[in-house]
Amino acid sequence: AKVRMIMVDSRKHARGEPRRIAEDVIAKLKAGGDFAKLADEFSDDARINKGGDRGWVEEKNTVFRKELTEVIFKLGAGQVSEVLEIDGTAFILKVEEKKEAQVQPITEVRLAIENQLKLEERDRLAGRVRTRIRAEQTAAIGSDRDRASGSIEL
């Protein structure tokens, strides 16, 4: 589902304020207000300058809390949730589009797979280099100590 979200954070407002602000936003939406503009104005989410756009969300995502994901997948395309309050923070969700999950053709995912494999190989090799450098430094420190203590026979 393609989702927009307005989040009124309890850490940035007095107790009870997030719900009141979110309910005011719901009233503005019901009066024909634009969700994206209201998100820019009222949301405390990091994506406020994007109109609350959270992009495409899968049902088995780990980005959103379970309570939010459940609501997202109960809403139909174009629908807006009521105010959801979790731990004092208020949320309003809008599902812009829905489409069924589908298998992507290999031609569409090949580049992403190749890039992921390259990153993993780079990280593996970097780890080997770090290990070798540490071993060399440890050996060098040990030989410096031996020379400094005069215990090396020539």
Side-chain angles (χ1 to χ4, degrees):
K2 190 166 190 306
V3 177
R4 287 189 185 272
M5 178 174 80
I6 296 172
M7 177 184 80
V8 186
D9 195 335
S10 62
R11 295 171 295 182
K12 295 183 179 183
H13 300 277
R15 185 181 196 103
E17 279 295 294
R19 175 169 277 288
R20 187 196 59 73
I21 292 168
E23 286 173 351
D24 288 347
V25 171
I26 289 286
K28 291 176 191 235
L29 287 168
K30 288 180 178 177
D34 179 79
F35 194 97
K37 288 179 182 172
L38 290 168
D40 286 345
E41 185 177 346
F42 292 100
S43 187
D44 295 323
D45 184 52
R47 291 168 176 82
I48 58 170
N49 295 326
K50 295 176 131 189
D53 187 2
R54 298 298 299 233
W56 287 94
V57 177
E58 294 180 17
E59 198 161 2
K60 295 180 182 179
N61 86 86
T62 56
V63 175
F64 284 102
R65 293 180 62 142
K66 182 181 177 188
E67 302 95 311
L68 298 176
T69 302
E70 287 173 356
V71 171
I72 288 168
F73 287 92
K74 286 179 183 174
L75 293 171
Q79 289 186 317
V80 175
S81 72
E82 291 299 319
V83 175
L84 307 164
E85 193 169 0
I86 302 171
D87 299 328
T89 296
F91 299 87
I92 303 169
L93 302 164
K94 179 180 183 180
V95 173
E96 293 194 317
E97 271 182 75
K98 271 192 161 179
K99 62 181 175 182
E100 294 298 317
Q102 52 193 356
V103 177
Q104 291 180 295
I106 190 71
T107 55
E108 290 182 21
V109 295
R110 173 181 231 115
L111 184 61
I113 292 169
E114 288 174 355
N115 287 337
Q116 182 62 38
L117 291 172
K118 287 176 186 174
L119 288 172
E120 289 173 10
E121 180 66 4
R122 183 200 68 198
D123 291 346
R124 186 184 69 79
L125 291 173
R128 287 179 61 192
V129 167
R130 281 191 300 274
T131 300
R132 188 174 71 230
I133 290 170
R134 279 189 205 114
E136 290 171 0
Q137 288 174 338
T138 302
I141 290 169
S143 66
D144 287 347
R145 281 189 196 139
D146 290 344
R147 269 190 248 117
S149 67
S151 63
I152 297 179
E153 292 182 32
L154 298 174

